[in-house]
Amino acid sequence: YKQEYCGCSYSLRDSNDWRKANMIPKIKIGGDTAGLGDRYFSDPLVDAAEESQDVVDEFFSQANEIAETAGNDVMKRKEALK
């Protein structure tokens, strides 16, 4: 089973905002499909690409830029993702 976010509501919100800005479907909780790829680890190469260090680094780089620009203001964060 793949968990696409840490489980807290803020992570879900921020992850889905980031996904929207990067044209990735929202996280889906439950069901047979995931927001990105398969629900389960089924293809080692695809799974590794989804969780590659480059993808993780890009996510946190973007998150840091947004935090520096918008601080804790959720509306400013959403605007920074456009």
Side-chain angles (χ1 to χ4, degrees), residues 63-74 76-77:
N64 286 335
E65 288 176 21
I66 291 166
E68 289 172 7
T69 302
N72 290 329
D73 186 318
V74 175
K76 286 183 182 177
R77 285 177 179 248

Side-chain angles (χ1 to χ4, degrees), residues 41-74:
F41 292 101
S42 57
D43 182 330
L45 296 178
V46 171
D47 297 333
E50 287 176 3
E51 299 182 5
S52 72
Q53 191 63 51
D54 290 339
V55 171
V56 173
D57 290 347
E58 174 62 23
F59 175 85
F60 284 105
S61 173
Q62 248 184 355
N64 286 335
E65 288 176 21
I66 291 166
E68 289 172 7
T69 302
N72 290 329
D73 186 318
V74 175

Side-chain angles (χ1 to χ4, degrees), residues 31-42:
D32 294 329
T33 60
L36 180 64
D38 295 330
R39 171 70 58 208
Y40 303 98
F41 292 101
S42 57

